Amino acid sequence: MKITLLSKPGFSGNMLVRKIEEVAKSQLMDIEVFLNEHLQEADVVLLTPQRSEDLKEIKKVVKVPVGVISLKDYGLLDGSNIIKYAKQLIQK
């Protein structure tokens, strides 16, 4: 699965990518995570809460599921829940 994470510039986006990758590796999942790039190659696009206002515009541009990470999962850097959410979006 390829996840594109859209985040405003800053340290938290990189930390979140690392957490998702750590969880994926520990559970032997084949997941690639990109930060603010490869929109068209992604299986799912996730926006950080700070980018939630861009949801409608992003949905117009990409042909894959798009969702906003919950504030709780974002704040806790909960890679496991974020992966679950990405899978749920793809299965819809």
Side-chain angles (χ1 to χ4, degrees):
M1 172 170 53
K2 293 181 181 180
I3 299 172
T4 293
L5 179 66
L6 295 181
S7 175
K8 291 195 175 184
F11 189 64
S12 60
N14 290 319
M15 286 177 51
L16 194 56
V17 167
R18 261 187 263 123
K19 286 292 186 180
I20 295 168
E21 288 174 339
E22 284 174 15
V23 169
K25 185 177 181 180
S26 73
Q27 297 181 11
L28 304 175
M29 292 186 229
D30 185 19
I31 294 178
E32 290 181 82
V33 186
F34 303 100
L35 182 61
N36 297 323
E37 58 184 13
H38 300 291
L39 275 174
Q40 301 307 327
E41 295 94 34
D43 297 310
V44 63
V45 175
L46 299 178
L47 284 67
T48 59
Q50 300 90 334
R51 295 286 306 263
S52 62
E53 69 276 358
D54 300 328
L55 182 64
K56 287 182 184 176
E57 286 301 314
I58 298 298
K59 282 185 173 184
K60 291 178 189 176
V61 180
V62 298
K63 294 175 173 51
V64 298
V66 181
V68 178
I69 297 168
S70 76
L71 192 54
K72 178 183 176 189
D73 290 341
Y74 176 78
L76 294 174
L77 297 173
D78 191 333
S80 182
N81 274 352
I82 293 169
I83 290 171
K84 287 178 193 171
Y85 178 55
K87 287 180 177 181
Q88 288 172 355
L89 287 172
I90 290 171
Q91 292 172 355
K92 282 186 179 179

